[in-house]
Amino acid sequence: MSVLAGSRHLGDDDLIRYMDHQLDREGQRMMGAHLRTCAACTSRLEGFQQKSTLAKEWLSLLPAEMPDPNKRAVALAALDRARFRRRSVPLAGAWMKAAAAVVLLVSVGMATEPMREFVARGVVRLGGNEPGSAAARLVEWLGQEEELKRPERVAARPMPAA
């Protein structure tokens, strides 16, 4: 406050805070005492009060629009539709999570020696006595070349006739 700082008159911001009762009790008391003795500050305060009263009158002349109750109903219906759409999407997300879990399990399993050996034996069994080049490359990629050289390989079983 400029009064407390030793100024002779109150500033505009001080007068507005005084008028709006935004000061503490001591500040209100000190400014009230100054306004009782200073005609210049009192006239400026009265000018602010007149402007404030005029602004309130103008605002009261504006038509007060009440919100349309139908707009609220339309907004709530749109919100419900959005929630319904959102619920149908997570099913696809669940499938993606399941697929990712399967890929993760297989990749972790392929990192272990027993799993690579198991897959290589399965590939060799499916290939029969002479596995194709793709099967041989897969077995080599798994690091299980000895599976191709085993003499006890079993021929592929024929499909049963229906």
Side-chain angles (χ1 to χ4, degrees), residues 110 113 116 119-120 123 137-145:
M110 293 300 278
E113 184 66 29
R116 287 194 305 259
V119 171
V123 168
R137 275 192 243 145
L138 178 60
V139 171
E140 289 172 3
W141 179 77
L142 291 170
Q144 304 293 322
E145 294 87 5

Side-chain angles (χ1 to χ4, degrees), residues 14-27:
D14 293 329
L15 290 172
I16 292 171
R17 281 196 301 256
Y18 177 80
M19 184 176 70
D20 291 339
H21 302 286
Q22 294 179 346
L23 300 170
D24 60 355
R25 184 177 291 194
E26 182 64 18

